[in-house]
Amino acid sequence: MASARESRKVVLRDLVIFQTKLVIDGVKGLALAQLAIVAAAVDILFPGREPGRYFYRVLRWSERFDLWLNLYGPAAAADAAADGLFGASRAGADTLLGKLEAWVRGEERAREAA
């Protein structure tokens, strides 16, 4: 069982991770709003064989980015309690948290966990 001091560190670390991810998500939202308008305008003004090809490409990119960012995913994992958000992620996974965990814990531990 983790000590109270270790538990506070885990919560603080996870707060910083969550806030960072929220900022990244916010910046993505601002950029995506503009990009979607431009892509839709191009699709409307210059229709091609595929209606909405640029607009839907932007949406697919946004979905992949959301999966990578995985903003709320770790909160749903039941085993996250002891080690916080890192308890729910795999080191080196293809998500922001997985990459961050690999960096924080070191590449050697990441390879062992995988």
Side-chain angles (χ1 to χ4, degrees), residues 1-96:
M1 179 141 188
S3 71
R5 183 176 181 183
E6 287 178 25
S7 296
R8 285 192 294 266
K9 283 183 179 181
V10 168
V11 171
L12 182 60
R13 179 199 65 208
D14 288 350
L15 173 64
V16 169
I17 291 169
F18 182 64
Q19 293 297 318
T20 302
K21 288 170 82 172
L22 282 174
V23 169
I24 292 169
D25 191 55
V27 169
K28 180 212 66 159
L30 289 173
L32 191 60
Q34 307 306 312
L35 188 58
I37 290 170
V38 170
V42 169
D43 285 334
I44 291 168
L45 294 173
F46 306 104
R49 291 177 296 189
E50 298 176 55
R53 69 185 178 273
Y54 295 118
F55 175 70
Y56 294 116
R57 192 175 297 167
V58 168
L59 293 182
R60 284 190 298 273
W61 177 83
S62 177
E63 181 180 23
R64 283 193 308 269
F65 186 86
D66 284 343
L67 291 171
W68 174 79
L69 186 60
N70 197 18
L71 185 58
Y72 300 107
D79 61 349
D83 200 16
L85 294 177
F86 283 145
S89 67
R90 286 182 341 187
D94 196 23
T95 62
L96 175 62

